[in-house]
Amino acid sequence: MTVLSAHESAYTRRIRELAQTELLPLLDHGGDGRVNRALLAAMGNHGLLRDLFGGSPDEPPSDAAAMRLCLLRETIAGVSTEAETALALQGLGSYPILQSGRREAVERWIPGVVRGTTVAAFALTEPTAGSDAAALALTAARDGDGWRLSGEKIWISNAPEADVYTVFARTTPDAGARGVTAFAVAGNAAGLSGEHLDLLSPHPIGRLRFDDVRVEPADVLGEVDAGFKVAMRTLDLFRPSVGAFAVGMAQAALDATIDHVATRHAYGAPLATQQSIAHKLADLATQLEAARLLVYTAARTYDGGATRGEITRRAAMAKLFATEAAQVIVDQCVQLHGAYALRRGHLLEHLYRDVRAPRIYEGASEVQRSIISRELFRERTTP
């Protein structure tokens, strides 16, 4: 059995061509560290944002398909990391609404997300609660039939420009993960403010401040005090696709390096004829293929309806291995290029900066190792 079906291979070829012809020309339409709304609108027009949810341009959004998401992210990452990140953030920010939102919330936000006219964001991390999501302190205090949100979020992608945020807030004090609720919060809500943060990233990241921001019962995603489940179901889907993003970057780096060593001469012969370089490329290609297979396996496990524990474990493995491998691959490709790869604007210089963040966001590598080991022991004790 091939890794990709004929249909999946044809899909990736179509996406790559579309990214090269329709998305690349729009990359300079966004300011530095700002949301590129023209790029998102083009993605919407071409059905890419609808594909995030497992549909096709001629179908209504459905439950997200993990393999489709991974193919999208890997393919577009090989063309443009900026375009890939813009697409992925739309999915991450809006999937909890589609997955767990009331009908009113879905109808209010999802059509605009799919069209690329509504910018979405996933607001989980706080100044004192990153990987330990159960330590969230942003409060949701009861106010009649609704709530008032007070506190701060930080390192939020697309903030403060997003039109809608999936926000996780504490509704029950001292209850850990069991006291967190997810809400859909409009970006222009009264009392919500924010600022951009200057990070080494290809997309906008910011801080959000909530000063008694009112949310209604229709804004609740899932059940009250069950927001942690909403977050984990979302991350189980998106973590393998972070690995796919890493695979796409690593493939672009490796392709460029193979071309470079085949044409670059040293000591009277192409670099590729030196055994040490040829063997290095063989090792990098093997790491890349192993990462890709882990990502695809995790995606197919999700789509196949496996147990939640198996989905979580394979998602963590895929993200861990693929992001760590991509870091090594891009670094070694820079080494094989030499000083050329350090020039600002070079593909490898760009990838070298962009490949670092995926080892941190959506659960750092250390967190993924903890998840994997936890699931291993849970499987051992399960009858």
Side-chain angles (χ1 to χ4, degrees):
M1 178 180 177
T2 58
V3 174
L4 295 183
S5 67
H7 175 75
E8 289 168 335
S9 295
Y11 177 75
T12 60
R13 290 193 295 270
R14 180 176 71 82
I15 295 302
R16 177 175 292 277
E17 181 179 359
L18 192 156
Q20 291 171 333
T21 59
E22 302 295 335
L23 303 185
L24 278 180
L26 296 173
L27 295 186
D28 60 355
H29 284 231
D32 187 28
R34 297 295 188 271
V35 173
N36 188 335
R37 289 183 178 266
L39 180 63
L40 286 176
M43 290 179 178
N45 289 337
H46 291 286
L48 296 180
L49 298 175
R50 191 179 298 273
D51 280 5
L52 281 172
F53 305 117
S56 72
D58 301 319
E59 299 170 350
S62 61
D63 289 341
M67 192 64 186
R68 176 68 63 89
L69 176 58
C70 286
L71 293 178
L72 265 175
R73 296 193 68 176
E74 178 187 348
T75 304
I76 296 178
V79 177
S80 165
T81 57
E82 178 186 335
E84 188 285 333
T85 302
L87 176 135
L89 293 178
Q90 283 289 87
L92 182 64
S94 63
Y95 181 65
I97 300 174
L98 181 65
Q99 168 215 110
S100 303
R102 274 65 171 166
R103 181 176 179 179
E104 302 98 308
V106 172
E107 292 178 348
R108 180 182 182 185
W109 299 115
I110 296 301
V113 170
V114 170
R115 289 193 301 268
T117 56
T118 297
V119 178
F122 186 83
L124 178 64
T125 304
E126 298 179 3
T128 59
S131 298
D132 184 10
L136 294 180
L138 187 145
T139 61
R142 274 289 186 180
D143 180 38
D145 62 348
W147 293 262
R148 294 279 180 177
L149 305 184
S150 300
E152 188 174 312
K153 296 289 183 180
I154 197 168
W155 319 130
I156 306 304
S157 296
N158 280 348
E161 300 179 60
D163 301 305
V164 60
Y165 296 93
T166 293
V167 178
F168 297 87
R170 179 154 303 286
T171 39
T172 300
D174 303 320
R178 293 182 175 84
V180 172
T181 302
F183 299 93
V185 180
N188 61 358
L192 177 58
S193 61
E195 62 190 21
H196 287 98
L197 297 173
D198 187 13
L199 269 72
L200 186 68
S201 68
H203 61 276
I205 294 180
R207 180 196 313 268
L208 296 172
R209 296 184 180 87
F210 295 77
D211 183 12
D212 284 341
V213 175
R214 170 80 183 186
V215 287
E216 305 296 337
D219 299 322
V220 174
L221 307 179
E223 302 301 323
V224 174
D225 285 343
F228 193 72
K229 293 180 180 179
V230 175
M232 292 305 102
R233 284 198 297 268
T234 301
L235 294 175
D236 279 345
L237 170 63
F238 276 85
R239 277 173 175 160
S241 75
V242 176
F245 175 34
V247 166
M249 287 190 283
Q251 185 69 66
L254 186 60
D255 288 343
T257 303
I258 292 171
D259 290 342
H260 175 74
V261 301
T263 57
R264 173 73 169 173
H265 283 63
Y267 308 110
L271 286 174
T273 63
Q274 297 184 22
Q275 188 181 71
S276 62
I277 290 178
H279 285 187
K280 172 61 69 177
L281 289 172
D283 287 342
L284 297 181
T286 302
Q287 282 186 278
L288 176 57
E289 189 65 8
R292 178 178 283 114
L293 291 173
L294 271 174
V295 167
Y296 290 177
T297 298
R300 295 197 193 282
T301 299
Y302 184 100
D303 290 337
T307 64
R308 179 58 54 187
E310 185 178 0
I311 288 171
T312 297
R313 174 173 57 82
R314 292 190 183 276
M317 286 179 169
K319 181 183 186 296
L320 170 65
F321 188 89
T323 57
E324 293 285 343
Q327 179 82 49
V328 172
I329 292 167
V330 172
D331 178 79
Q332 290 301 303
C333 287
V334 168
Q335 189 72 18
L336 292 174
H337 271 78
Y340 288 96
L342 301 179
R343 293 184 63 183
R344 189 167 294 279
H346 191 282
L347 171 65
L348 267 296
E349 179 266 339
H350 183 73
L351 292 173
Y352 194 65
R353 287 184 286 111
D354 289 354
V355 79
R356 187 61 184 85
R359 291 171 60 202
I360 297 173
Y361 62 64
E362 294 188 38
S365 292
E366 292 75 14
V367 172
Q368 304 310 316
R369 292 185 176 97
S370 295
I371 291 171
I372 294 164
S373 61
R374 181 195 68 203
E375 293 302 325
L376 289 175
F377 284 105
R378 179 177 294 171
E379 290 172 2
R380 184 177 184 274
T381 57
T382 300

